[in-house]
Amino acid sequence: MLIWKSSISLFIMDETPEVNGDLILDQVCISNKNMIHDLEQKGYGEIEKGKLFLKPFESLYLLYTHKLFLKKNKTKIDFDTFMSICQKTNSEILTKFLIFRDLKTRGYIVKDGFGFGSDFRVYERGNFGTKSAKYLVFALNEGTQEKIGQIQKNIFEITQMGKEPIIAVIERRGEVIYYKISKMTFLENKSDLQMKDFKF
């Protein structure tokens, strides 16, 4: 079931404050306590030993929106440079960035996926910090092939947990299309049966 389609040009005002970060190996580290608090409240990063470490797609989004001033030693790192760094170790980073960016511009809190092959956890608006994520998002590029058996198994387990699986597909033009996945029941092919129990 198609739930929405977005244009790559879609953008809304981001209220995330400007922050300073240091590039340590391939991770972005935020040390300022006030900046850590502001970012954590908006669902960014994970805290380790009093510092906030951003996921690559989070760092790319903040660089893209000009909210992150990133440096390595004394050298400034811009969006293109950091994207090149990320692509050396993660061939799917552009896909994840495009989907993360689209979900953030829609006002959702988005966290890294956990298990089941999911790429993101997405919280309903206003629920971050009080309820668990409602959606698990799987990122795909148009034209790629996936084994349906594994996806079916993942979807079954996700729905058993009360969460909703969403497949986000990146079109060749860069647009993001979202499909909500649910169990489909086919009735026996008899002429006297009606399709009233058909669910999708």
Side-chain angles (χ1 to χ4, degrees), residues 43-168:
Y44 288 96
E46 302 294 337
I47 293 183
E48 295 180 21
K49 298 180 180 179
K51 296 182 178 181
L52 186 74
F53 290 88
L54 299 174
K55 297 292 183 181
F57 52 83
E58 294 174 323
S59 302
L60 286 165
Y61 175 72
L62 292 173
L63 285 168
Y64 175 80
T65 55
H66 306 290
K67 298 294 184 178
L68 172 63
F69 180 81
L70 180 61
K71 58 184 175 61
K72 183 174 183 179
N73 298 323
K74 294 183 179 180
T75 304
K76 182 180 177 181
I77 306 294
D78 61 14
F79 174 88
D80 291 334
T81 302
F82 189 62
M83 176 65 81
S84 297
I85 292 171
C86 293
Q87 287 179 323
K88 291 178 182 178
T89 56
N90 184 355
S91 61
E92 301 298 320
I93 187 60
L94 178 59
T95 298
K96 293 194 73 169
F97 161 69
L98 290 173
I99 294 171
F100 181 82
R101 181 184 69 174
D102 187 72
L103 291 167
K104 290 296 289 183
T105 58
R106 293 177 180 278
Y108 288 101
I109 298 292
V110 184
K111 299 289 285 183
D112 205 12
F114 67 97
F116 308 107
S118 64
D119 291 283
F120 299 111
R121 289 170 285 158
V122 180
Y123 294 76
E124 283 197 300
R125 295 179 183 91
N127 284 352
F128 180 69
T130 60
K131 295 182 180 179
S132 61
K134 182 174 182 180
Y135 308 101
L136 292 187
V137 176
F138 298 82
L140 293 176
N141 283 306
E142 184 180 12
T144 57
Q145 294 183 350
E146 295 289 334
K147 292 183 179 179
I148 192 66
Q150 186 59 50
I151 292 177
Q152 185 179 20
K153 181 177 181 291
N154 290 338
I155 289 171
F156 175 77
E157 292 175 348
I158 289 168
T159 53
Q160 289 293 101
M161 295 170 59
K163 300 185 183 300
E164 297 184 24
I166 304 289
I167 292 181

Side-chain angles (χ1 to χ4, degrees), residues 170-183:
I170 302 290
E171 285 190 323
R172 289 182 175 87
R173 293 175 295 175
E175 293 181 327
V176 185
I177 304 176
Y178 299 89
Y179 296 92
K180 181 177 178 181
I181 309 301
S182 59
K183 186 177 180 181

